[in-house]
Amino acid sequence: MRFVLVHGSWHDGGCWDHVRRHLEAAGHEVHTPTLPGNGAGAARDVTMRQVVDAVVGLLESSGLDDVVLVGHSFGGSVVQQVALRVPERLRRMVFHNAYVVRDGGTVFDDVPASVAPAFQALAEAAGDGTVSLPFDFFREAFCNDADLATAQAAHARMTPEPLARSTEPLALTGFVGLPVPRSYLYATDDNVFPATEFSWHPQMSSRLGPFRLVQMHGSHEVLFTDPAGLAGKLVEAGRD
Amino acid sequence: MRFVLVHGSWHDGGCWDHVRRHLEAAGHEVHTPTLPGNGAGAARDVTMRQVVDAVVGLLESSGLDDVVLVGHSFGGSVVQQVALRVPERLRRMVFHNAYVVRDGGTVFDDVPASVAPAFQALAEAAGDGTVSLPFDFFREAFCNDADLATAQAAHARMTPEPLARSTEPLALTGFVGLPVPRSYLYATDDNVFPATEFSWHPQMSSRLGPFRLVQMHGSHEVLFTDPAGLAGKLVEAGRD
Amino acid sequence: MRFVLVHGSWHDGGCWDHVRRHLEAAGHEVHTPTLPGNGAGAARDVTMRQVVDAVVGLLESSGLDDVVLVGHSFGGSVVQQVALRVPERLRRMVFHNAYVVRDGGTVFDDVPASVAPAFQALAEAAGDGTVSLPFDFFREAFCNDADLATAQAAHARMTPEPLARSTEPLALTGFVGLPVPRSYLYATDDNVFPATEFSWHPQMSSRLGPFRLVQMHGSHEVLFTDPAGLAGKLVEAGRD
């Protein structure tokens, strides 16, 4: 299969390195772009349009077809928009503990009410339109299945997340009806948001229309904590 | 143990072949009747009474006692009715991703509102009182943990399902109070109906009264995708 | 790590024996006190104050610091109260399928409405302020993943549970804000209470404030049915 893996907030393309190695060892082709606004040293003042253009540009300039387009977390919203732009290049979309945004909605629409003020406070503390995750929160809510060293190494990779694009209303008319099959890959130990207020599955997944469900154990950061397991599940989610 | 395995809609007794082999290899006795109305070449104009008579008839004519009676999916409604007829022959009932119908209700009462119109359209397209599952739907919603070849082979086994019996109100007075222990065996990756509207467990299982919960990974069609695992869990569900 | 394991209702400290052996073999220090009111031959007329005093007394008299304090089931309410008394001695709290009581509430506040009358009837039958679990209920609801011999051996260890302490309103002001990290370890096959009315996670866990989620397969009595697995997950829950 030909995978294009779209990372989430705070991450960059290199965060897929271990997953990529397992997929390549199994004979798959893997692309792991870093989105505009993410990664060390990047300019943080980016728009959703720039982000989507970058992924569409990669597919077009490299002539990639039959792509299994995977979005993790924030990356789900990018997959939705890319799919509306170049559906003919996609074999399947895979949403991995990922946002599925409603037509006209924003990524932040689904941040639970109990969490939004903390995000707001972190943003105001940074003062430059980005937010960085405190280690304790990242360790307990994102990396709950990691040992301390893995959590620390993962946290050290994170870079400040630009917030503005997650507040842009997205034009997603026609997404559900696109003739591109879709899977939701849900790591069931995800602890990012309170389960009484939010769920990746079935809340986000229910917005996909008909989809294939694939589940695995692991946290939101299973790309760090179980890359071999995730690679196997990406194949289950991505195959015909 | 002595198992009688009752298949669901579209299936027939032969769909249990792999599960049966694993159970027999472990020393168990296994019966896998094909219900009236199902299987290749069967007459499709059947009533629930005929279906239940067939299973009761098997137990009586073969003199089967101490039976662990297992129902998969639609087969749950059959188990309920057989149990009311011959409780003294049953050691335990096992409901595997199976309907548990309310007294006076029908199997179709629990089909979610978002799915019912599609079923109706498929029925009208067939025009003979049956419905057949399109491959894409079967592959994504029923066989989501299968590879393509397994999903295709499973789909090739399915035969048109007669609808009328699933619309018959069932007289189930006294079912909850029957002195027959019961288990619910839930394959947790089941994707047949939207999880926001329906659940095998806890929605269906909650109608059993006190029951034993047994869970495993896998889709609605785990009898095809993990027959060894299912056989093991049937033993956990069926033992004293 | 230094574990102090607080058992639940009907149990005593010896119920942790297998778990303790696995933890000690992995190099950990383990304390498994029997609470006042529990265990063979104990006086059953105890107050919550006596129970909490006993655990605080163990920590103080043995000079235990850096403690990972684990509560199972009823033991969760004990962990909450001990943490308010000696937070400086705790490295982390772990709640394992455990009650998390609201400030001013009681343990019994969270017993589902459909179960409370049965508990009341059992209490009245005993007539001495205790309740004992009938084997069938224990086997199906508590030990659903056990074979019969394991369930029988576990049931034989249970002793009558004093009820009064579970009806005492608990002063828990300040619990959520304590500077002690906390984990919720959830065995996902727990069948003690109907899942339509109650959940250990996310219902109880949501009262912890920010916490680490750790999940495993198994029933409420996984300390008997998978002590090696539980020991491993206690380490995942308890580590920094």
Side-chain angles (χ1 to χ4, degrees):
Chain A
M1 283 180 249
R2 176 175 294 126
F3 286 100
V4 174
L5 308 178
V6 180
H7 63 77
S9 297
W10 300 285
H11 292 62
D12 63 21
C15 293
W16 294 108
D17 278 356
H18 295 297
V19 175
R20 169 215 285 271
R21 259 196 292 279
H22 288 287
L23 286 171
E24 288 176 346
H28 304 288
E29 179 184 324
V30 185
H31 303 263
T32 59
T34 292
L35 298 177
N38 293 102
R44 307 292 175 201
D45 55 335
V46 291
T47 64
M48 198 58 104
R49 174 79 197 197
Q50 290 172 286
V51 169
V52 175
D53 280 351
V55 179
V56 170
L58 166 69
L59 301 190
E60 291 181 338
S61 67
S62 304
L64 302 181
D65 286 315
D66 275 333
V67 168
V68 176
L69 184 62
V70 177
H72 175 225
S73 200
F74 168 84
S77 70
V78 180
V79 167
Q80 289 181 280
Q81 296 170 85
V82 171
L84 279 163
R85 291 270 293 276
V86 288
E88 71 282 2
R89 292 188 178 276
L90 305 186
R91 192 166 189 97
R92 183 175 287 265
M93 301 180 272
V94 177
F95 295 82
H96 164 39
N97 293 41
Y99 289 97
V100 181
V101 178
R102 289 191 165 115
D103 184 25
T106 76
V107 172
F108 275 6
D109 281 349
D110 294 306
V111 172
S114 71
V115 178
F119 270 42
Q120 204 57 39
L122 289 169
E124 283 163 20
D128 65 349
T130 71
V131 71
S132 295
L133 293 175
F135 176 72
D136 284 355
F137 178 59
F138 181 76
R139 196 267 171 282
E140 302 291 66
F142 284 65
C143 276
N144 42 310
D145 62 343
D147 62 22
L148 183 59
T150 302
Q152 287 170 330
H155 189 254
R157 286 207 61 115
M158 301 293 111
T159 51
E161 173 69 13
L163 293 180
R165 62 189 182 186
S166 288
T167 66
E168 289 184 38
L170 304 182
L172 294 165
T173 308
F175 166 73
V176 172
L178 282 176
V180 181
R182 52 211 75 183
S183 299
Y184 207 94
L185 167 44
Y186 176 42
T188 59
D189 303 310
D190 193 305
N191 195 33
V192 166
F193 292 134
T196 48
E197 294 177 89
F198 175 92
S199 68
W200 299 108
H201 171 70
Q203 189 187 344
M204 292 294 117
S205 61
S206 71
R207 299 176 181 173
L208 288 176
F211 70 99
R212 181 189 305 170
L213 174 66
V214 175
Q215 298 188 107
M216 66 181 295
H217 294 291
S219 71
H220 197 67
E221 299 299 326
V222 72
L223 84 178
F224 293 120
T225 60
D226 184 14
L230 179 56
K233 289 294 180 178
L234 285 171
V235 171
E236 288 186 29
R239 65 190 172 188
D240 286 345
Chain B
M1 284 178 247
R2 175 175 294 124
F3 286 100
V4 174
L5 309 179
V6 179
H7 64 76
S9 297
W10 301 284
H11 292 62
D12 62 20
C15 293
W16 295 108
D17 277 357
H18 294 298
V19 175
R20 169 214 285 273
R21 258 196 294 279
H22 288 285
L23 286 171
E24 288 176 346
H28 304 290
E29 178 184 322
V30 185
H31 303 263
T32 59
T34 293
L35 298 177
N38 294 103
R44 307 292 175 201
D45 56 333
V46 292
T47 63
M48 197 59 104
R49 175 78 196 198
Q50 289 171 286
V51 169
V52 175
D53 281 350
V55 179
V56 170
L58 167 69
L59 301 190
E60 291 182 339
S61 67
S62 302
L64 302 181
D65 285 315
D66 275 332
V67 168
V68 176
L69 183 62
V70 178
H72 174 225
S73 200
F74 168 83
S77 70
V78 180
V79 167
Q80 289 181 278
Q81 297 171 84
V82 172
L84 278 163
R85 291 268 295 275
V86 288
E88 71 282 1
R89 293 189 177 274
L90 305 186
R91 192 167 188 96
R92 181 174 288 266
M93 301 179 273
V94 177
F95 296 81
H96 163 39
N97 294 42
Y99 289 96
V100 181
V101 177
R102 289 190 164 116
D103 185 24
T106 76
V107 172
F108 275 7
D109 281 350
D110 294 305
V111 172
S114 72
V115 177
F119 269 41
Q120 203 57 41
L122 289 169
E124 283 162 19
D128 66 349
T130 70
V131 71
S132 295
L133 293 175
F135 176 71
D136 283 356
F137 178 58
F138 181 75
R139 196 268 170 281
E140 302 291 66
F142 284 65
C143 276
N144 42 310
D145 61 343
D147 60 21
L148 183 59
T150 302
Q152 287 170 331
H155 189 253
R157 287 207 61 116
M158 301 293 111
T159 50
E161 173 69 12
L163 294 179
R165 62 188 182 187
S166 288
T167 66
E168 289 184 38
L170 305 181
L172 294 164
T173 308
F175 166 73
V176 171
L178 283 176
V180 181
R182 53 211 74 183
S183 298
Y184 207 95
L185 166 45
Y186 177 42
T188 59
D189 303 309
D190 193 305
N191 195 33
V192 166
F193 292 134
T196 48
E197 294 177 88
F198 175 92
S199 67
W200 299 108
H201 172 70
Q203 188 187 345
M204 292 295 117
S205 61
S206 71
R207 299 176 182 173
L208 289 176
F211 70 98
R212 181 190 305 170
L213 175 66
V214 175
Q215 298 188 108
M216 66 181 293
H217 295 290
S219 70
H220 196 68
E221 299 298 326
V222 72
L223 83 178
F224 293 120
T225 60
D226 184 14
L230 179 55
K233 289 294 179 177
L234 285 171
V235 171
E236 289 185 30
R239 64 190 173 189
D240 285 345
Chain C
M1 284 179 247
R2 176 174 294 124
F3 287 100
V4 174
L5 309 179
V6 180
H7 63 77
S9 297
W10 301 285
H11 292 62
D12 63 20
C15 293
W16 294 108
D17 278 356
H18 295 297
V19 175
R20 168 215 285 272
R21 259 196 291 279
H22 288 286
L23 286 171
E24 287 177 347
H28 304 289
E29 179 184 324
V30 185
H31 304 262
T32 58
T34 292
L35 298 176
N38 294 102
R44 307 293 176 201
D45 55 334
V46 292
T47 63
M48 198 59 106
R49 174 78 197 197
Q50 289 171 285
V51 169
V52 175
D53 280 352
V55 179
V56 170
L58 167 69
L59 301 190
E60 291 182 338
S61 67
S62 303
L64 302 181
D65 285 314
D66 275 333
V67 168
V68 176
L69 184 62
V70 178
H72 174 225
S73 199
F74 168 84
S77 70
V78 180
V79 167
Q80 289 181 278
Q81 297 171 85
V82 171
L84 279 163
R85 291 268 294 277
V86 287
E88 71 283 0
R89 292 188 177 275
L90 306 186
R91 191 167 190 94
R92 182 175 287 267
M93 301 180 273
V94 177
F95 295 82
H96 163 40
N97 293 41
Y99 289 97
V100 182
V101 178
R102 289 189 165 118
D103 184 25
T106 75
V107 172
F108 275 7
D109 282 350
D110 293 306
V111 172
S114 72
V115 177
F119 269 42
Q120 203 58 37
L122 289 169
E124 284 163 19
D128 66 348
T130 70
V131 71
S132 295
L133 293 175
F135 176 71
D136 284 355
F137 178 59
F138 181 74
R139 195 267 169 283
E140 303 290 67
F142 284 64
C143 276
N144 42 310
D145 62 343
D147 61 22
L148 182 59
T150 302
Q152 287 170 331
H155 189 254
R157 287 206 61 116
M158 301 293 111
T159 51
E161 173 69 11
L163 294 180
R165 64 189 182 186
S166 287
T167 66
E168 289 184 39
L170 305 181
L172 294 165
T173 308
F175 166 73
V176 171
L178 282 176
V180 181
R182 53 212 72 183
S183 298
Y184 207 94
L185 166 45
Y186 176 42
T188 59
D189 303 309
D190 193 304
N191 195 33
V192 166
F193 292 135
T196 48
E197 295 177 87
F198 175 92
S199 67
W200 299 108
H201 172 70
Q203 189 187 343
M204 292 294 117
S205 61
S206 70
R207 300 175 181 173
L208 288 175
F211 70 98
R212 181 189 305 170
L213 174 66
V214 175
Q215 297 188 107
M216 66 181 293
H217 295 290
S219 71
H220 196 68
E221 299 298 326
V222 73
L223 83 177
F224 293 121
T225 60
D226 184 14
L230 179 56
K233 289 294 179 178
L234 285 171
V235 171
E236 289 185 30
R239 65 189 172 190
D240 285 345

